[in-house]
């Protein structure tokens, strides 16, 4: 009975997160966060407030939670030292603690649901997405509805069925199911069905960056899983991880000096007003080791306080966020702080999961790159629910892969094929 109550509570929370992401209902963040806290309390009550953590639990929880606690403390020190308004400090506190809160809840849910947690996440978000799909085709009909989805205007600005969080999430989940399919984790037929369905959902809400990132990460996953020499594999993973850390810094420099905007203009890529926003923040940071940052919440709070609202290219929508969390992280954490962030995000995370099981290290790397690409043109990188979900996909892949490799012939496991 206790397990049913806890599972039901998680389903309710997941449903509310899904429907609020689709804007079917307007639900304040604080309501969901309160429910997440109650969910954790229910879990503690079920265990009489006596939680026994394994070494792996401590390692994984520490891998996610400790960096966010460090980010919170560092940001608060910066903001207090500069006598920033109380709103900036409060926003920093809530952002970092909410990141941890969401991850803890998903981690607890995995303890109860095991590999089915990803299935439930996907199903609930699809259910929340269906009303928008139905409404679109009722309004325009089947043929015209499909034509409108992939018209030249929509391909340059986003699908009529685009819902930011859902499209990003469906892209991540599609790569997860492909990984499970390739390394024989859990039910093959189920993985195949969910992979195809998640790809369809991704295509319906087509976004240029999601399409590119899904194709790139699928190709990377297929190529890296073909490598048979352990030493070569880890050399390639290290090189890619270091390369991504360097790219993150070069990307910020290109934005700062205007090179990135010139590239977009040269290839006729419509930034939909993003570059205008990036220029507004140019005076708040500099490319120098002496730049210490303004606190992780700085860009979000400035936009909220100033009421910036830049009309986009078609004069129908307004941009109310920086839409570049790579830049937001640099402005927030500074030169060395952002370098350490990307080292954690790409390298430490990848080698923590991949040291014993290289296949999971590969998955961690490709899913991190896929999500990083989202960072470059959106504000989903610091979205606590999507960030926690992206991380929990790696955790589930790790535990389920570890559990399933003992159920198949040893010579068929990825580790056994490595020399």
């Amino acid at each position: 009975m206790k397990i049913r109550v806890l599972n039901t509570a998680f389903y309710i929370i997941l449903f509310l997160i899904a429907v609020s992401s689709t804007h079917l209902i307007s639900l304040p963040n604080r309501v969901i966060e309160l429910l997440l806290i109650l969910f954790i309390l229910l879990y503690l009550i079920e265990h009489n407030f006596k939680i026994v953590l394994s070494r792996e639990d401590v390692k994984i929880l520490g891998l996610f939670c400790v960096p966010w606690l460090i980010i919170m403390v560092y940001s608060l020190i910066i903001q207090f030292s500069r006598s920033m308004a109380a709103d900036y400090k409060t926003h920093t506190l809530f952002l970092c603690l909410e990141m941890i809160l969401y991850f803890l809840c998903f981690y607890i849910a995995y303890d109860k649901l095991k590999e089915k947690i990803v299935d439930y996440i996907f199903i609930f978000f699809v259910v929340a997405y269906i009303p928008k799909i139905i409404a679109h085709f009722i309004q325009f009909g089947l043929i015209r509805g499909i034509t409108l989805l992939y018209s030249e205007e929509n391909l340059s600005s986003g699908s009529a069925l685009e819902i930011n969080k859902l499209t990003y999430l469906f892209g991540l989940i599609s790569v997860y199911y492909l990984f499970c399919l390739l390394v024989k984790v859990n039910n093959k037929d189920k993985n195949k069905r969910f992979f195809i369905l998640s790809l369809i959902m991704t295509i319906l809400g087509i976004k240029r960056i999601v399409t590119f990132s899904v194709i790139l990460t699928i190709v990377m996953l297929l190529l890296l899983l073909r490598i048979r020499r352990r030493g070569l594999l880890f050399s390639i993973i290290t090189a890619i991880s270091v390369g991504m850390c360097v790219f993150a810094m070069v990307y910020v420099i290109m934005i700062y000096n205007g090179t990135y905007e010139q590239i977009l203009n040269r290839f006729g890529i419509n930034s939909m007003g993003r570059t205008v926003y990036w220029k507004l923040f140019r005076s708040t940071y500099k490319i120098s080791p002496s730049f210490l940052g303004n606190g992780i919440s700085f860009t979000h709070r400035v936009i909220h306080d100033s009421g910036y609202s830049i009309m986009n290219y078609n004069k129908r929508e307004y941009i109310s966020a920086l839409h570049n969390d790579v830049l937001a992280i640099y402005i927030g954490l500074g030169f060395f702080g952002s370098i350490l962030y990307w080292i954690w995000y790409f390298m430490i995370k990848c080698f923590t999961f991949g040291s014993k099981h290289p296949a999971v290290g590969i998955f961690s790397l490709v899913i991190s790159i896929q999500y990083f690409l989202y960072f470059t043109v959106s504000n989903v990188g610091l979205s606590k629910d999507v960030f926690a979900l992206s991380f929990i996909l790696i955790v589930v892949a790790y535990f389920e892969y570890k559990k399933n490799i003992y159920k198949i012939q040893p010579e068929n496991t990825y580790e056994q094929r490595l020399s």
Side-chain angles (χ1 to χ4, degrees), residues 1 81 93 129 132 138-139 142 179 183 325 332 359 379 381 407:
M1 179 64 72
S81 67
L93 193 67
Y129 191 37
K132 188 174 179 70
I138 287 176
Q139 181 180 358
L142 180 62
F179 170 77
V183 298
D325 278 340
N379 57 327
K407 295 181 180 180

Side-chain angles (χ1 to χ4, degrees), residues 54-113:
S54 67
R55 181 177 293 182
E56 281 192 324
D57 290 329
V58 173
K59 178 179 70 174
I60 292 171
L61 290 172
L63 179 65
F64 185 89
C65 298
V66 171
W68 280 107
L69 289 173
I70 293 171
I71 289 170
M72 180 180 72
V73 172
Y74 177 77
S75 297
L76 289 174
I77 290 172
I78 291 293
Q79 290 169 345
F80 272 106
S81 67
R82 296 180 183 174
S83 300
M84 290 186 181
D87 283 353
Y88 287 80
K89 301 156 195 171
T90 304
H91 197 74
T92 292
L93 193 67
F94 274 107
L95 173 64
C96 297
L97 292 180
E98 286 164 358
M99 284 283 190
I100 295 171
L101 178 63
Y102 272 86
F103 180 73
L104 287 177
C105 288
F106 287 125
Y107 196 76
I108 289 171
Y110 172 72
D111 181 52
K112 294 297 178 185
L113 300 172

Side-chain angles (χ1 to χ4, degrees), residues 12-62:
I12 292 171
I13 292 170
L14 198 55
F15 176 73
L16 291 175
I17 293 173
V19 294
S20 62
S21 297
T22 60
H23 308 295
L24 286 175
I25 60 173
S26 180
L27 196 65
N29 288 333
R30 296 294 173 261
V31 173
I32 294 178
E33 287 148 16
L34 180 60
L35 292 174
L36 292 173
I37 292 171
L38 291 174
F39 176 71
I40 293 176
L41 285 175
L42 281 174
Y43 181 76
L44 292 173
I45 291 169
E46 180 186 315
H47 291 79
N48 297 318
F49 291 89
K50 296 178 181 178
I51 306 297
V52 179
L53 298 175
S54 67
R55 181 177 293 182
E56 281 192 324
D57 290 329
V58 173
K59 178 179 70 174
I60 292 171
L61 290 172

Side-chain angles (χ1 to χ4, degrees), residues 143-377:
I143 304 301
R144 178 161 169 73
I146 294 173
T147 304
L148 285 174
L149 286 181
Y150 305 107
S151 65
E152 184 177 347
E153 181 180 354
N154 277 330
L155 286 176
S156 64
S157 63
S159 166
L161 290 175
E162 172 197 328
I163 298 178
N164 274 350
K165 282 188 180 181
L166 267 66
T167 305
Y168 291 128
L169 186 61
F170 290 146
L172 292 168
I173 289 177
S174 66
V175 177
Y176 166 82
Y177 282 118
L178 177 62
F179 170 77
C180 292
L181 190 62
L182 293 173
V183 298
K184 301 182 177 70
V185 169
N186 300 321
N187 185 282
K188 179 181 178 181
D189 291 335
K190 184 205 74 173
N191 288 333
K192 187 181 294 185
R193 287 195 304 270
F194 275 66
F195 170 62
I196 294 171
L197 184 57
S198 58
L199 272 184
I200 292 172
M201 294 296 106
T202 304
I203 292 168
L204 283 175
I206 191 167
K207 288 180 71 70
R208 292 169 297 179
I209 192 63
V210 176
T211 304
F212 172 73
S213 65
V214 168
I215 293 172
L216 176 65
T217 49
I218 286 176
V219 171
M220 287 184 65
L221 188 63
L222 292 171
L223 291 177
L224 289 172
L225 285 174
R226 291 178 64 87
I227 297 174
R228 294 292 178 263
R229 292 173 56 192
R230 183 181 294 264
L232 176 61
L233 175 64
F234 278 100
S235 295
I236 292 174
I237 289 176
T238 302
I240 295 174
S241 299
V242 172
M244 292 305 300
C245 294
V246 172
F247 174 75
M249 299 303 291
V250 172
Y251 178 68
V252 172
I253 295 171
M254 290 171 65
I255 292 172
Y256 184 79
N257 62 23
T259 305
Y260 186 64
E261 186 177 8
Q262 292 174 13
I263 293 173
L264 293 179
N265 293 336
R266 182 173 182 179
F267 289 96
I269 299 173
N270 194 330
S271 69
M272 299 172 65
R274 287 174 173 84
T275 55
V276 177
Y277 246 148
W278 302 344
K279 289 176 183 177
L280 288 174
F281 282 89
R282 196 173 185 276
S283 62
T284 66
Y285 69 102
K286 58 183 180 179
I287 307 299
S288 169
S290 64
F291 177 62
L292 300 178
N294 299 292
I296 191 66
S297 65
F298 180 78
T299 57
H300 292 262
R301 198 66 221 175
V302 167
I303 290 171
H304 181 273
D305 287 350
S306 63
Y308 285 156
S309 190
I310 308 299
M311 190 173 284
N312 78 359
Y313 79 104
N314 60 10
K315 299 184 178 180
R316 289 184 302 185
E317 299 174 358
Y318 290 88
I319 297 174
S320 57
L322 186 61
H323 282 277
N324 191 327
D325 278 340
V326 177
L327 181 59
I329 287 166
Y330 182 85
I331 295 173
L333 300 181
F335 188 88
F336 288 113
S338 59
I339 289 175
L340 290 174
Y341 180 91
W342 297 122
I343 289 173
W344 163 69
Y345 180 79
F346 286 112
M347 300 184 70
I348 296 176
K349 186 169 64 173
C350 177
F351 285 104
T352 298
F353 289 109
S355 57
K356 289 185 179 179
H357 302 294
V360 185
I362 292 171
F363 176 70
S364 175
L365 177 64
V366 299
I367 211 77
S368 297
I369 291 174
Q370 182 182 0
Y371 195 40
F372 169 82
L373 292 173
Y374 297 171
F375 277 50
T376 60
V377 293

